[in-house]
C-alpha cells in the first residue's frame, strides 16, 4: 500500500522536487492556448504510459502523487474513431495498478478492472492494452486499484469522430475537474469508518435552531428537528469528504493558480468538462456566459442552452461558449456542499482574472430526498405538488406536466431557499412525481433508510440548484442526436442503492460486494430494463462498464446514452441496456470510497470467452 | 501483574470468538474470478477504534479524582471485539476506588444498534466477575445509548447510559450525559446497594481542536447510595477527550 508517509519519504530521498509546470502536458499547463481543434490525428496509434510516484505542487504546496507520464492529470489520450490503439502501461509503482478506460466499449479483457477483467498490473511490469476504437467523444481514464485514483491516477481521453460533429467550434479546452488531498487517503478511509461525519463542518448548530425559529416559526422548526431526529439522519450530510481536506482542481491546478484557457473574442469555444473527482460533484458555471450543452458522456445530444450544470462524479459534458467581449470569465466549479471550489479563467490574454463568485449557502437534504411521503406528514400547511398516481412500478414513468419544469425565477416557499444557515420546511415544491412505493424489504442492518415513495426526479436540477434563478441542466434536457434501438425490454432488473451513513457502509440491496455469491447475470444479446431505486439520502453516480445505459427520460428513440448516471436520493430511475458485450464487467457507484466499501457488483454477460 | 494477565486472557478469548463469528459470515469468492486474482474492492477491511471519552480530573468539596471511561473496538462491519473500561482514582488518598474492564463480542443487529455479550472483570472495590449482555447504539433524536445487564451469583445489575451532542459551533460541543446504575440485591463488598444504586449526571463542553483531540470543562453530579456519609457530590471536571 502506498501511504503518504512512505511516498513523501521516497520523494525526499530521491531529492527531486520537479517543477510541476514542466511536467504537465500542454493542454493542462497554467495557461493553455487550446487543445488542437479536432481533425484527423496523424500521431501514433501506440502510446506509452508510465505510472510512478512523483512529487507535485498544488497552489504552492508540495505533495506526493501517483502520476501518469509525470503529471496529474495524466496525458490527454487522443484517438480517432475506427483505429485500433495500443497502449503500453509501465508500472513503476511498488504495488499493483490498473487503467480503466471510462465509458469505452471494448473487449472486457482490456477494461482494466483488477479482479474482474484481469489480474491487474504488477509492480514493475508492463501491460499492453490493445483495442479497436468504436466510438467518438470526450472520456477519461483512471486507476481501478484501491484508492490510487485519489492520489492523481487519472487523465482525459478524446476520441475524434469518424464523421464530423453536428456542431461547429473554433477552439477547444479540456477541463478536468478533480479533488486532491494532501492527506493519506487510506487514513481518510479509516476516519470515515470510525466517525462518518468527520469532514462535515457544516452541521446545524444551536444558532441555526434559533435562526430557524426566527424565520420559520417555532412550530415548523420543531417539526423539522423532530422529523430528522426520529430518522437519526443529518440534513447537512451532503458530501462525505469536503473542502475541509480537499483542494479542488482544474487540470491539476488549485484555485489560487488560476488555470487559464485562452480565446479570441467572437470565437466558439468547446469545453470538454470531465469530472475526474473521487467524491465530489460540482456545480459548473461561467458567470456572464451561457453554455450550450452538445455532448453528455461522450454522446452527442441536441444542443440545449443553460447557465449552470451539476456534474456527477465520472460524468462528462461538452459545452460550447461564445465569449464576445475582450474580458475574462471565471470558470467556477463549486463543490456540491459548497465547502470549496475549483476555479479557472477563460480569457483573451494571459494574466487576466474575473471576480470569483461567493460560495452559496450550503444546501440541505429534504424530505423528498428521504423518500418521505408528504401526504403522511403534517407539514404545517405547506403543500406538495404530487400529481402522479402512485404504484407505477417499472416502465412507464409519469412526467411532470409539460415535460420540463422551469426552475428559473419561481418564487420559493416559506423558509426554503435559505439565505440563512439552517433551513426548515425541508421539501421541494417542484419535486418529481411519485412513481412507485417501496416494498416491505428494508435491506437489513447495512441500510438506514428506504425511499417510502420513489420519485421520478429526472426533471430536477440537483441538490442545491432548485432556486438559483437561472437555467440549470436537467436530465430531461438530454436528447440524443441519433435514434437508437427501439427494441422493448425483455427482462427487468431492480437494484436498490443502499447505505448506512452512520457506519459508513455502502451497498446494493443492503449487501456489500463481498456478501454476494454470484455476478449479476445478463444473457448476451438480451434487452434489459435496469431500474435503480436510491434508498439513501445521497446522490450516487452509478457506472456500468462495457455497455451504455439508455436513460428513459421520455424522448422515445432519442433517449440519451450514458456511461454514468446520477441517481438522486429517493429516486427511481429506469434505464435500457442492450447486453451486447460478452464478458465480466464492473457495475458500481463511482464515489470511490463507496465503491471500495462494497457498492460494487460484477455483471456477467454470458456466454463469453472461457465461460458458457 | 495479575490484573494484566487477566486482561490478556479476556481479550484473547473474545478475539477468538469474534474471529470465529467473522469467519462464519465471510462469503466465498463472490464473482467467480480466477484463483489468484485480487479482490476488486476492499470492503472487508478490519478497522480499529479507541476513544477515551472521559479522561478527566474531578474535584468536589472533599476530594480530587482522576476518572476515565474509554472504549474501543476492532473488527468489521458486522462483528467486532469491543472493550470498555471505567474507573476512578482518588488522588488525595492515593486510592483506586473503582476499576473494571469489559470484553465483549459485538454484533451489528440493526442499522443503529449493536448487541453485545461478554464478561466484566471488576478490580476495585473488590475482585469480581460478571456476565454481560447489552445493546449499544444511536437512539432516535441522536441519543448515544448503552443499556447493559450484568449477571453474577449475588445480583443482577443494570446500567443505562445516555449522551447527546449539542453543537454550539462546528467545534464547540456541549455534551450532557447521564448514567444510572440499578441492582436487584445488595453486594456489600462491591459497594452496591439494591434498587437505585448510583447516578451520574453531567455536562461537558469540549472544543475539538481536531476531531480526535478535544479538551473540555464541565460539571458532574454524582449520587452514590452506598456511600457512608455524603451520598451527594457535585464536581467540577476538566479533561481531554481523545480518540484514534
Ligand atoms: Cu455511492
Amino acid at each position: 500500500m502506498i501511504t503518504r508517509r512512505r511516498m513523501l519519504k521516497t520523494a525526499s530521498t530521491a531529492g527531486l522536487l520537479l517543477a510541476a509546470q514542466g511536467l504537465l502536458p500542454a493542454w493542462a499547463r497554467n495557461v493553455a492556448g487550446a487543445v488542437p481543434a479536432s481533425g484527423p490525428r496523424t500521431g501514433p496509434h501506440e502510446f506509452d504510459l508510465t505510472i510512478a510516484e512523483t512529487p507535485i505542487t498544488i497552489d504552492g504546496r508540495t505533495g506526493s502523487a501517483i502520476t501518469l507520464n509525470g503529471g496529474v492529470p495524466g496525458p490527454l489520450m487522443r484517438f480517432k474513431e475506427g483505429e485500433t490503439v495500443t497502449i503500453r502501461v509501465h508500472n513503476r509503482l511498488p504495488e499493483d495498478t490498473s487503467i480503466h478506460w471510462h465509458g469505452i466499449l471494448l473487449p472486457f479483457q482490456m477494461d482494466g478492472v483488477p479482479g474482474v477483467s484481469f489480474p491487474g498490473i504488477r509492480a514493475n511490469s508492463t501491460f499492453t492494452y490493445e483495442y479497436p476504437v468504436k466510438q467518438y467523444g470526450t472520456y477519461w481514464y483512471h486507476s481501478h486499484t484501491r484508492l490510487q485514483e485519489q492520489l492523481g491516477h487519472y487523465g482525459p481521453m478524446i476520441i475524434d469522430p469518424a464523421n464530423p460533429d453536428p456542431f461547429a467550434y473554433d477552439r477547444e479546452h479540456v477541463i478536468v475537474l478533480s479533488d486532491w488531498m494532501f492527506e493519506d487517503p487510506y487514513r481518510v478511509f479509516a476516519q470515515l469508518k470510525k466517525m462518518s461525519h468527520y469532514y462535515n463542518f457544516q452541521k446545524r448548530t444551536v444558532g441555526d435552531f434559533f435562526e430557524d425559529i426566527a424565520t420559520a416559526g417555532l412550530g415548523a422548526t420543531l417539526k423539522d428537528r423532530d422529523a430528522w431526529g426520529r430518522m437519526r439522519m443529518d440534513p447537512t450530510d451532503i458530501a462525505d469528504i469536503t473542502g475541509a481536506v480537499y483542494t479542488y482542481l482544474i487540470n491539476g491546478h488549485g484555485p489560487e493558480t488560476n488555470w487559464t484557457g485562452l480565446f479570441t473574442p467572437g470565437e466558439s469555444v468547446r469545453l470538454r468538462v470531465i469530472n475526474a473527482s473521487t467524491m465530489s460533484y460540482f456545480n459548473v458555471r461561467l458567470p456572464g456566459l451561457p453554455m450550450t450543452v452538445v455532448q453528455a458522456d461522450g454522446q452527442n445530444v441536441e444542443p440545449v442552452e443553460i447557465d449552470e450544470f451539476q456534474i456527477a462524479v465520472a460524468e462528462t459534458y461538452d459545452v460550447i461558449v461564445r465569449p464576445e467581449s475582450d474580458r475574462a470569465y471565471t470558470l467556477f466549479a463549486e463543490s456540491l456542499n459548497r465547502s470549496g471550489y475549483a476555479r479557472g479563467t477563460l480569457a483573451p490574454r494571459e494574466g487576466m482574472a474575473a471576480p470569483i463568485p461567493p460560495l452559496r449557502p450550503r444546501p440541505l437534504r429534504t424530505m423528498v430526498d428521504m423518500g418521505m411521503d408528504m401526504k403522511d406528514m403534517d407539514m404545517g400547511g405547506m403543500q406538495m405538488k404530487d400529481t402522479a398516481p402512485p404504484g407505477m412500478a417499472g416502465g412507464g414513468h409519469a412526467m411532470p406536466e409539460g415535460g420540463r419544469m422551469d426552475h428559473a425565477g419561481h418564487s420559493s416557499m416559506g423558509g426554503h431557499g435559505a439565505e440563512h444557515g439552517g433551513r426548515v420546511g425541508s421539501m421541494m415544491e417542484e419535486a418529481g412525481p411519485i412513481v412507485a412505493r417501496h416494498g416491505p424489504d428494508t435491506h437489513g442492518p447495512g441500510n438506514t433508510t428506504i425511499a417510502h415513495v420513489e420519485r421520478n426526479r429526472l426533471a430536477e436540477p440537483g441538490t442545491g440548484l432548485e432556486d438559483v434563478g437561472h437555467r440549470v441542466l436537467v436530465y430531461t434536457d438530454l436528447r440524443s442526436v441519433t435514434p437508437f434501438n427501439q427494441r422493448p425490454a425483455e427482462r427487468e432488473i431492480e437494484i436498490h442503492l443502499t447505505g448506512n451513513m452512520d457506519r459508513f457502509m455502502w451497498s446494493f440491496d443492503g449487501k456489500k460486494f463481498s456478501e454476494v455469491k454470484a455476478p449479476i447475470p445478463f444473457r448476451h444479446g438480451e434487452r434489459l430494463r435496469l431500474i435503480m431505486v436510491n434508498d439513501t439520502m445521497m446522490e450516487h453516480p452509478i457506472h456500468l462498464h462495457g455497455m451504455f445505459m439508455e436513460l428513459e427520460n421520455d424522448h422515445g428513440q432519442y433517449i440519451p446514452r450514458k456511461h454514468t448516471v446520477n441517481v438522486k436520493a429517493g429516486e427511481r430511475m429506469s434505464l435500457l441496456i442492450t447486453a451486447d458485450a460478452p464478458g465480466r464487467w464492473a457495475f458500481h457507484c463511482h464515489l470511490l470510497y463507496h465503491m471500495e466499501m462494497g457498492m460494487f457488483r460484477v455483471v456477467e454477460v454470458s456466454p463469453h470467452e472461457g465461460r458458457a | 501483574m495479575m490484573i494484566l494477565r487477566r486482561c490478556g486472557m479476556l481479550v484473547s478469548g473474545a478475539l477468538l470468538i469474534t474471529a470465529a463469528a467473522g469467519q462464519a459470515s465471510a462469503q466465498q469468492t463472490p464473482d467467480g474470478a480466477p484463483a489468484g486474482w485480487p479482490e476488486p474492492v476492499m470492503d472487508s477491511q478490519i478497522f480499529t477504534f479507541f476513544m477515551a471519552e472521559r479522561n478527566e480530573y474531578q474535584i468536589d468539596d472533599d476530594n480530587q479524582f482522576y476518572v476515565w471511561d474509554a472504549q474501543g473496538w476492532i473488527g468489521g462491519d458486522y462483528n467486532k471485539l469491543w472493550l470498555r473500561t471505567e474507573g476512578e482514582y482518588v488522588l488525595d488518598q492515593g486510592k483506586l476506588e473503582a476499576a473494571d474492564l469489559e470484553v465483549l463480542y459485538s454484533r451489528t443487529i440493526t442499522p443503529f444498534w449493536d448487541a453485545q455479550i461478554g464478561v466484566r472483570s471488576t478490580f476495585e472495590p473488590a475482585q469480581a466477575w460478571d456476565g454481560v449482555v447489552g445493546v449499544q447504539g444511536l437512539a432516535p433524536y441522536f441519543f448515544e445509548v448503552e443499556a447493559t445487564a450484568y449477571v453474577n451469583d449475588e445480583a443482577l445489575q443494570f446500567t443505562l447510559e445516555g449522551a447527546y451532542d449539542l453543537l454550539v459551533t462546528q467545534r464547540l460541543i456541549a455534551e450532557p450525559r447521564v448514567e444510572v446504575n440499578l441492582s436487584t440485591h445488595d453486594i456489600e463488598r462491591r459497594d452496591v446497594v439494591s434498587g437505585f444504586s448510583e447516578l451520574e449526571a453531567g455536562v461537558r463542553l469540549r472544543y475539538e481542536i481536531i476531531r480526535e483531540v478535544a479538551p473540555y470543562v464541565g460539571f458532574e453530579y454524582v449520587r452514590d447510595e452506598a456511600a457512608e456519609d455524603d451520598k451527594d457530590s457535585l464536581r467540577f471536571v476538566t479533561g481531554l477527550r481523545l480518540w484514534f
Side-chain angles (χ1 to χ4, degrees), chain A residues 5 10 23 49 56 63 75 87 102 123 128 136 143 189 318 335 371 396 429 434 489 495 527 543 596 611:
Chain A
R5 193 185 302 166
T10 316
L23 292 170
L49 284 177
I56 63 160
I87 307 146
H102 187 101
T128 304
Y136 63 85
S143 171
F189 192 67
D318 287 44
S335 77
E429 60 179 311
I434 295 168
I495 292 175
R527 182 87 167 147
H543 174 43
E596 292 296 339
R611 193 147 166 150

Side-chain angles (χ1 to χ4, degrees), chain A residues 148-191:
Chain A
Q148 289 178 353
E149 193 190 316
Q150 181 73 83
L151 293 163
H153 187 325
Y154 48 80
M157 184 165 158
I158 295 176
I159 307 172
D160 290 313
N163 305 306
D165 280 319
F167 45 85
Y169 54 97
D170 305 307
R171 171 197 298 257
E172 64 180 358
H173 290 294
V174 175
I175 309 290
V176 178
L177 302 171
S178 62
D179 46 21
W180 168 262
M181 59 168 71
F182 289 95
E183 298 266 314
D184 175 7
Y186 295 94
R187 181 176 167 272
V188 169
F189 192 67
Q191 301 303 70

Side-chain angles (χ1 to χ4, degrees), chain A residues 138-422:
Chain A
T138 303
Y139 301 94
W140 63 299
Y141 58 92
H142 60 84
S143 171
H144 228 289
T145 302
R146 299 164 57 83
L147 301 178
Q148 289 178 353
E149 193 190 316
Q150 181 73 83
L151 293 163
H153 187 325
Y154 48 80
M157 184 165 158
I158 295 176
I159 307 172
D160 290 313
N163 305 306
D165 280 319
F167 45 85
Y169 54 97
D170 305 307
R171 171 197 298 257
E172 64 180 358
H173 290 294
V174 175
I175 309 290
V176 178
L177 302 171
S178 62
D179 46 21
W180 168 262
M181 59 168 71
F182 289 95
E183 298 266 314
D184 175 7
Y186 295 94
R187 181 176 167 272
V188 169
F189 192 67
Q191 301 303 70
L192 288 168
K193 204 69 191 175
K194 297 172 195 185
M195 187 175 279
S196 60
H197 67 262
Y198 190 95
Y199 299 101
N200 182 358
F201 290 96
Q202 300 186 321
K203 299 218 260 184
R204 297 206 286 198
T205 62
V206 176
D208 291 328
F209 179 69
F210 289 110
E211 217 174 296
D212 285 348
I213 292 173
T215 50
L218 179 65
T221 304
L222 288 178
K223 238 169 238 165
D224 172 85
R225 296 308 195 269
D226 171 65
W228 290 103
R230 257 185 294 150
M231 290 184 295
R232 288 160 278 187
M233 306 299 271
D234 182 347
T236 71
D237 218 333
I238 308 287
D240 298 322
I241 310 180
T242 67
V245 64
Y246 275 146
T247 306
Y248 301 104
L249 309 182
I250 288 182
N251 294 341
H253 300 288
E256 308 277 297
T257 309
N258 189 23
W259 175 88
T260 301
L262 298 179
F263 68 86
T264 303
E267 274 182 337
S268 288
V269 184
R270 176 182 189 169
L271 304 178
R272 297 177 179 265
V273 185
I274 299 162
N275 189 354
S277 294
T278 61
M279 291 296 277
S280 310
Y281 281 48
F282 291 102
N283 301 321
V284 181
R285 65 196 151 120
L286 285 136
L289 265 190
M291 302 175 270
T292 303
V293 179
V294 293
Q295 209 177 77
D297 287 9
Q299 303 295 293
N300 288 335
V301 294
E302 289 293 341
V304 49
E305 192 180 284
I306 48 137
D307 301 301
E308 183 166 9
F309 63 94
Q310 191 166 89
I311 185 167
V313 169
E315 284 187 315
T316 73
Y317 286 102
D318 287 44
V319 300
I320 292 178
V321 293
R322 292 178 191 83
E324 302 282 348
S325 352
D326 186 50
R327 56 160 276 206
Y329 296 90
T330 294
L331 173 61
F332 195 64
E334 172 191 67
S335 77
L336 184 75
N337 73 339
R338 290 156 189 179
S339 60
Y341 58 84
R343 168 249 184 169
T345 298
L346 292 188
R349 285 173 305 284
E350 203 175 317
M352 296 176 77
I356 302 172
L359 286 167
R360 295 171 289 197
R362 59 110 164 82
L364 290 176
R365 297 290 175 200
T366 68
M367 287 299 141
V368 171
D369 297 325
M370 304 306 302
M372 299 305 275
D373 190 349
M374 247 42 80
K375 291 194 195 78
D376 297 343
M377 304 180 71
D378 170 21
M379 293 310 284
M382 295 193 248
Q383 298 288 308
M384 274 300 303
K385 196 164 73 185
D386 270 345
T387 46
M392 296 184 50
H397 280 279
M399 289 301 304
E401 254 175 76
R404 176 180 181 186
M405 289 172 291
D406 182 14
H407 298 279
H410 69 79
S411 65
S412 61
M413 63 202 294
H416 179 58
E419 273 71 52
H420 56 94

Side-chain angles (χ1 to χ4, degrees), chain A residues 115 187 191 193-194 198 200-201 203 206 226 229 232 447 500 503 512-518 584 596, chain B residues 27 30-31 33 38 40-44 48 77-78 110-114 138-139 141-142 167 170 211-212:
Chain A
R187 181 176 167 272
Q191 301 303 70
K193 204 69 191 175
K194 297 172 195 185
Y198 190 95
N200 182 358
F201 290 96
K203 299 218 260 184
V206 176
D226 171 65
R232 288 160 278 187
N447 185 50
N500 185 323
R503 298 179 190 269
K512 56 184 180 178
F513 175 68
S514 57
E515 288 181 86
V516 297
K517 294 188 173 71
R584 295 155 44 76
E596 292 296 339
Chain B
Q27 306 294 330
D31 58 342
V41 293
M42 41 191 204
D43 68 354
S44 306
T48 57
D77 285 325
Y78 297 105
T110 72
F112 292 103
W113 294 96
D114 285 1
L138 187 69
Y141 303 103
F142 309 105
L167 273 68
Q170 299 300 327
R211 290 267 190 236
E212 292 90 334

Side-chain angles (χ1 to χ4, degrees), chain A residues 17 28 67 93 123 483:
Chain A
L17 289 182
T67 56
L93 300 175

